[in-house]
Amino acid sequence: MNMDKPLRRVAIFALLLIFGLMAQVNYVQGSQAEDLRTDANNPRLYADIFKTPRGQISAGGEVLVSSKEIDDEEYGRFYKDGAVFFPVTGYFQGGSTQVERAYSGLLSGDDSRIKNQRWFDTFIGKSAEGADLELSIDTDAQRTAYERLKQATSPGRRGGAVVMDVETGALKVAASWPSADPNQFANDPRNEKSGERLEQLNEGDGVQKPLVDNALSQTFPPGSSFKILMSALGMSELGLDGSSNQDTSKLVLPESGQTLPNSHEGGACGSSAPLRAAFIESCNTSFGRMALELTIEKVNEGGKKFGFGERVEIEPDFFAAQSAIPVSHLNEQGEEVKTGQDATARSGIGQQNVTSTPLQMAMVAAAVANDGVIMNPYVVEKGLAQDQSEVYSADPSEYKKAMSEDQAKELQDWMRGVVTEGTATNLQGMNIAGKTGTAEQGEGIPNARWFVGFSPVDDPKYAFAVMTEGPGGGANGAGPVAGAIMRQVLK
């Protein structure tokens, strides 16, 4: 019997609705399920993330981060010597930073590399267990760095240190003073006091921002340690070498008529000297003249060979702050101001608006120590699923070729000379070579004191950069800290 025409239309419409609903269900489950499940606005996501333990983070056989049950099958994160390792581990409290964020999928078990291995668990709806991570950090050297930075930095100021394996890029040290202890807010993330403490640390005290580490995430004027980079540019762009005669006499700045001073007016800095001597005695005037001859544009371009102007990615979504050699800047009125001649001369000695992270200066030293090649920095060596199968392994790779091998070897000799006969003779016997730096930061503000170099002296394997804020210069304010750290690294 034929259906009435209106009834037939209703039936067809109902079928279309059913087909449409089925298509939508399939689309959501097939294409959008993962996005919806991991959407930061999904309240169930936040409720579920504490239901399963995350993997451990270890270094040198020590477990640095682990999950412990805190209440009714909920887990918080616990950090061994939390403040010491915070610049690398970061924290997990729902939100996360550093390694906790970069490898959150592996640590939680949500990463496809684990799910593909544990497909049956996924099929039956059982949560996959998170992987454990092994870091490249030397735990004893990291502790030494933290304690020595604490001792050497003036009250209320900042310090940072980085050590890098020049052949692989593996970071052995990334320490900051002050630092944050994630145990103060991550053990029980739903506790109201945890949130209050996190907010308090985020606000900081003066220039000290404990949640912003001073090794990877903060920049400072590099002062005369920047002359390593300038010397490399002088060789490549101006054809200079260690014997090239340099005018080290008083430099009258072209715009203001003011004088750019040397730290001393005798010795190599008296009137003229070979470039090697001007380097090891750190004559400002010859490097100011070199910057003027190069122009700020060429100094800026040359800095890119080392990573200036880029956010260096240490691990996925784990970036260092951007170091800079500006050709212009915005004034207080928001207007663009080009870097003039006077500012260009000051930029040549790592002042004016030139800024760098300790990591970036360690990478400059790494280019010298590794015959011109900088490797990509990293901190995670491997990831192991709970059945001990490997789900991740670091793959060292070249970051940039910053200079020729001959230029690097010449700079190695100059940096040895800084310690044997130059501005850092107080560091003799520490098996380190490098360049001092003392950057003025304004009236009433302590200097940024640097020592940037490599070790062992005769067969460079590690590059380092140490910065502390305080009175005096880099030879005494940062050099002994570098010596103590490298003594531990080389054990």
Side-chain angles (χ1 to χ4, degrees):
M1 186 175 66
N2 291 332
M3 299 173 67
D4 291 338
K5 190 173 183 180
L7 186 58
R8 188 165 60 248
R9 287 177 175 172
V10 169
I12 292 171
F13 182 66
L15 283 172
L16 289 174
L17 286 177
I18 291 170
F19 286 136
L21 180 62
M22 291 176 64
Q24 177 66 13
V25 168
N26 280 305
Y27 172 70
V28 169
Q29 290 189 341
S31 303
Q32 291 190 313
E34 184 66 15
D35 291 341
L36 291 171
R37 190 182 63 77
T38 57
D39 192 309
N41 295 316
N42 181 358
R44 187 172 178 181
L45 172 68
Y46 192 78
D48 287 347
I49 57 177
F50 303 114
K51 294 292 185 185
T52 55
R54 290 163 67 87
Q56 297 178 344
I57 302 175
S58 304
E62 273 189 74
V63 176
L64 303 178
V65 186
S66 58
S67 287
K68 294 182 182 178
E69 190 169 358
I70 53 176
D71 181 35
D72 193 23
E73 296 187 347
E74 291 196 340
Y75 297 83
R77 289 297 254 177
F78 287 78
Y79 297 82
K80 183 179 182 181
D81 292 338
V84 176
F85 297 99
F86 179 73
V88 179
T89 63
Y91 69 88
F92 175 81
Q93 196 234 18
S96 56
T97 62
Q98 315 298 71
V99 167
E100 285 274 33
R101 178 171 62 193
Y103 292 90
S104 190
L106 281 179
L107 289 166
S108 68
D110 283 341
D111 192 281
S112 59
R113 286 167 286 188
I114 294 180
K115 286 189 169 181
N116 290 342
Q117 286 192 5
R118 307 293 297 172
W119 65 270
F120 186 74
D121 287 346
T122 304
F123 178 74
I124 64 175
K126 180 183 176 182
S127 297
E129 294 179 303
D132 295 334
L133 301 180
E134 179 72 22
L135 305 181
S136 60
I137 296 296
D138 181 324
T139 54
D140 289 337
Q142 178 82 3
R143 290 188 175 95
T144 297
Y146 179 81
E147 289 301 325
R148 294 302 296 260
L149 289 173
K150 180 179 178 180
Q151 295 166 13
T153 303
S154 288
R157 303 305 301 187
R158 302 160 294 181
V162 169
V163 178
M164 179 178 179
D165 184 318
V166 299
E167 293 183 357
T168 64
L171 297 185
K172 311 306 287 185
V173 169
S176 173
W177 173 261
S179 187
D181 183 355
N183 291 305
Q184 296 178 349
F185 51 83
N187 292 165
D188 189 356
R190 295 187 182 178
N191 187 311
E192 187 176 324
K193 290 183 178 178
S194 296
E196 292 174 355
R197 181 55 179 157
L198 187 58
E199 187 175 338
Q200 185 182 39
L201 288 169
N202 188 43
E203 291 177 357
D205 182 12
V207 296
Q208 292 186 326
K209 308 291 182 187
L211 293 183
V212 181
D213 75 88
N214 300 314
L216 313 173
S217 307
Q218 187 66 269
T219 61
F220 305 88
S224 291
S225 65
F226 190 67
K227 291 169 184 170
I228 304 170
L229 185 151
M230 287 297 299
S231 296
L233 295 185
M235 291 183 198
S236 61
E237 300 295 330
L238 302 176
L240 303 176
D241 60 30
S243 62
S244 300
N245 194 54
Q246 298 294 294
D247 184 352
T248 61
S249 65
K250 183 184 298 183
L251 172 60
V252 178
L253 296 174
E255 293 170 336
S256 66
Q258 295 178 344
T259 300
L260 181 68
N262 283 318
S263 61
H264 59 288
E265 299 298 338
C269 301
S271 58
S272 65
L275 179 56
R276 180 182 185 275
F279 179 88
I280 67 174
E281 288 196 32
S282 203
C283 303
N284 288 337
T285 55
S286 54
F287 286 90
R289 288 187 174 93
M290 189 185 296
L292 288 170
E293 185 174 356
L294 284 166
T295 74
I296 191 63
E297 286 78 12
K298 281 195 174 179
V299 177
N300 174 281
E301 282 298 314
K304 292 177 182 176
K305 295 179 182 177
F306 295 83
F308 279 80
E310 297 179 2
R311 294 182 69 206
V312 178
E313 187 173 32
I314 300 167
E315 299 288 356
D317 203 22
F318 177 0
F319 291 89
Q322 180 176 304
S323 302
I325 308 170
V327 296
S328 65
H329 71 281
L330 298 179
N331 63 18
E332 293 180 354
Q333 289 73 42
E335 301 163 335
E336 185 175 6
V337 179
K338 188 177 183 330
T339 300
Q341 292 288 287
D342 289 9
T344 296
R346 295 193 190 97
S347 296
I349 59 171
Q351 292 270 195
Q352 197 64 30
N353 295 314
V354 176
T355 56
S356 176
T357 60
L359 171 66
Q360 177 62 77
M361 290 311 299
M363 292 167 68
V364 171
V368 176
N370 196 36
D371 295 339
V373 175
I374 305 172
M375 301 296 286
N376 277 299
Y378 68 89
V379 292
V380 177
E381 291 279 11
K382 66 174 66 173
L384 297 174
Q386 295 306 310
D387 62 2
Q388 296 303 295
S389 60
E390 189 171 282
V391 291
Y392 173 79
S393 179
D395 183 17
S397 58
E398 182 176 321
Y399 174 64
K400 290 179 187 291
K401 174 77 172 176
M403 66 184 83
S404 72
E405 182 176 343
D406 288 344
Q407 291 164 352
K409 289 194 179 304
E410 185 151 13
L411 272 169
Q412 288 174 19
D413 170 64
W414 301 4
M415 291 168 74
R416 293 183 185 107
V418 168
V419 174
T420 57
E421 54 192 297
T423 57
T425 53
N426 63 310
L427 305 179
Q428 289 182 21
M430 292 187 176
N431 202 11
I432 57 177
K435 180 71 189 77
T436 52
T438 306
E440 296 176 352
Q441 301 194 94
E443 189 174 351
I445 303 174
N447 294 331
R449 307 169 302 185
W450 292 79
F451 194 70
V452 175
F454 59 81
S455 180
V457 169
D458 295 329
D459 183 20
K461 296 186 182 306
Y462 302 99
F464 60 80
V466 174
M467 192 291 305
T468 64
E469 290 183 315
N476 291 303
V481 178
I485 295 170
M486 293 315 303
R487 187 183 310 123
Q488 194 65 52
V489 170
L490 295 175
K491 276 187 176 178

